[in-house]
Amino acid sequence: MIRLSGIRKAYGKTLALDELELEVREGEFFCLLGPSGAGKTTTLKTVAGLEQPDSGTVVLDGEDMRGVEPYDRGVAMCFESYALYPHRSAYDNLASPLRSPRHRLPAGEARQRIGAIAELLGISGLLDRPVGQLSNGQRQRVALGRVLVRPARAFLLDEPLSHLDAKLRQQMRAELKAIGAVQHTTTLYVTHDSVEALALGDRIGVIRQGRIVQTGTREEIWYRPQDTEVARAFGRPRINLLPGVVTQSGVRADGGVELPVRARAAPGTEVLVGLRPRDLALHGGEGHELTGTVYVTEVLGRSVEVTVRLGTGEQRVSLVAPRADAARLRADDPVRLVVRPENLLLFEADRPERPGRRIETQP
Ligand code: ADP
Ligand code: MG
């Protein structure tokens, strides 16, 4: 449905998009995830036709968009810096896209559509208020509503929940995908928040310095991250990355950890062993073992984050355990951690020029 090939876009000396490749399928909710400055907004603007790429092609529905005006591309974009009419009411702002010649709806139908979207976005009570008097979070929801009210080939949403407080963001995140219009319309959704990407994306594209470094389902991104940087981008607390080396019989990691995994790398290769905090079990089970002592514990609601010193103590890992399992732990208590072989990730060591790539392992 949306295909970008070999897109290059420079602003002066800044290369915003560097041979970007991206494909969003019909009806899909695709999340583009990356840090600030990675090129996310430029990507959306290129699809919308608000920026012309220096090279590369944009194809929508099989049609090359070269020379096609933004208005004729049939996509609806919600900007990070939302363009609303401040003196007009929220209702008028929502209604204005439906007054354009292309999307004109009978008044009754328009009112019904606006009512339904306003309800879902929790702004029904604000429709009479001038947008200039609304809070940032309320304005952001009006801006999102403006995009969703009108039928479009595709929605392009640029961090549409970023100005909402944490509670509202969580609530809206849950509701956004349930909105009928969103369910039926191809959506390219930009965010720098990995939790949001995992919650919303049918597929996720990770963008870094103007390039897509990995595209996949949330499972693929989570269980088979392309490199340490993708692995670090997902999951809180962050993945543990223990320095180690490939040996004849497996991997030896700092902190006296011996892992009998077969790695597709030559003995002597410097590696990082990736262990997600939620994949480390405190009380036994099948799998690879790590032993150490409790350094510190921190209660996080129903679970506890435990930091463990491995071996002689210079290396630490953190894990998240149910409160029932971890509540009685005290500093210096000995612990035995177990990770299931399928949850153990292995990467090449990071280099200054690029993050370490994942290495295949066999249990
Ligand atoms: P993101 O949305 O991921 O934060 P952007 O696409 O906005 O990133 O920007 C990508 C890069 O291009 C950044 O380095 C940014 O400073 C630069 N950039 C974006 N728009 C412009 C512009 N209009 N003029 C100059 N530089 C720009
Ligand atoms: Mg941006």
Side-chain angles (χ1 to χ4, degrees):
M1 161 72 218
I2 301 175
R3 189 159 74 235
L4 303 183
S5 329
I7 301 285
R8 233 186 88 95
K9 175 74 189 173
Y11 296 102
K13 283 188 188 144
T14 307
L15 190 55
L17 300 180
D18 180 11
E19 301 293 321
L20 183 106
E21 302 282 328
L22 181 68
E23 200 174 315
V24 183
R25 299 173 190 151
E26 181 73 47
E28 180 173 58
F29 196 110
F30 188 99
C31 280
L32 188 60
L33 173 84
S36 172
K40 304 181 298 297
T41 299
T42 308
T43 302
L44 288 191
K45 285 182 173 170
T46 304
V47 175
L50 302 170
E51 291 286 5
Q52 299 308 319
D54 302 329
S55 59
T57 54
V58 178
V59 173
L60 294 181
D61 260 343
E63 193 189 333
D64 192 326
M65 288 292 115
R66 193 182 315 255
V68 179
E69 291 296 318
Y71 185 79
D72 296 320
R73 295 193 180 197
V75 298
M77 177 159 172
C78 179
F79 291 97
E80 209 177 352
S81 53
Y82 20 89
L84 297 170
Y85 304 106
H87 302 295
R88 295 218 222 143
S89 68
Y91 185 90
D92 270 355
N93 272 278
L94 290 171
S96 66
L98 300 177
R99 289 184 186 131
S100 77
R102 167 147 334 164
H103 305 292
R104 192 186 303 282
L105 284 183
E109 206 177 308
R111 212 172 307 125
Q112 201 190 350
R113 236 185 132 87
I114 292 166
I117 292 285
E119 181 74 42
L120 280 162
L121 298 178
I123 49 175
S124 302
L126 309 172
L127 291 177
D128 294 335
R129 305 253 303 270
V131 160
Q133 291 178 11
L134 302 180
S135 72
N136 278 341
Q138 292 166 335
R139 267 201 293 247
Q140 192 167 35
R141 281 178 284 160
V142 174
L144 180 56
R146 236 173 93 85
V147 173
L148 303 180
V149 286
R150 69 169 164 108
R153 263 179 172 175
F155 294 136
L156 309 176
L157 307 179
D158 195 356
E159 314 216 18
L161 309 182
S162 58
H163 292 280
L164 307 185
D165 64 48
K167 185 155 168 265
L168 194 54
R169 189 159 62 227
Q170 195 178 0
Q171 187 187 331
M172 293 273 314
R173 192 160 70 209
E175 285 170 11
L176 190 64
K177 267 188 96 171
I179 295 177
V182 173
Q183 274 175 7
H184 299 121
T185 309
T186 307
T187 302
L188 177 52
Y189 183 102
V190 159
T191 181
H192 67 268
D193 178 345
S194 62
V195 176
E196 213 166 277
L198 287 172
L200 287 168
D202 296 327
R203 287 192 308 144
I204 297 169
V206 181
I207 184 173
R208 186 196 301 156
Q209 294 174 348
R211 282 173 167 269
I212 302 286
V213 291
Q214 185 171 5
T215 300
T217 61
R218 36 190 137 173
E219 288 77 16
E220 285 163 349
I221 299 267
W222 182 266
Y223 293 110
R224 303 174 64 77
Q226 148 102 11
D227 60 25
T228 53
E229 196 165 327
V230 175
R232 282 190 189 100
F234 293 91
R236 296 290 176 271
R238 276 190 182 198
I239 190 167
N240 299 291
L241 290 167
L242 275 183
V245 63
V246 175
T247 63
Q248 294 291 348
S249 56
V251 171
R252 179 182 312 126
D254 288 8
V257 179
E258 292 285 347
L259 300 161
V261 292
R262 261 182 292 159
R264 250 187 235 163
T269 305
E270 290 188 20
V271 293
L272 290 167
V273 177
L275 303 162
R276 297 212 193 262
R278 278 168 220 278
D279 293 336
L280 286 169
L282 257 182
H283 295 299
E286 289 284 295
H288 303 306
E289 282 189 20
L290 295 84
T291 54
T293 54
V294 172
Y295 181 59
V296 67
T297 62
E298 187 187 345
V299 176
L300 315 163
R302 259 174 280 170
S303 50
V304 178
E305 180 176 352
V306 185
T307 307
V308 172
R309 300 163 111 139
L310 296 176
T312 48
E314 72 282 7
Q315 198 64 48
R316 293 175 198 162
V317 293
S318 63
L319 67 118
V320 175
R323 208 159 155 177
D325 291 351
R328 262 176 298 179
L329 289 178
R330 294 289 172 265
D332 299 326
D333 284 353
V335 284
R336 187 171 70 88
L337 311 178
V338 174
V339 58
R340 297 163 66 99
E342 66 270 27
N343 289 332
L344 184 138
L345 292 165
L346 197 64
F347 301 92
E348 295 168 355
D350 288 331
R351 303 214 202 117
E353 70 280 10
R354 68 172 162 80
R357 284 191 283 227
R358 193 169 56 83
I359 300 171
E360 294 284 346
T361 59
Q362 285 165 345

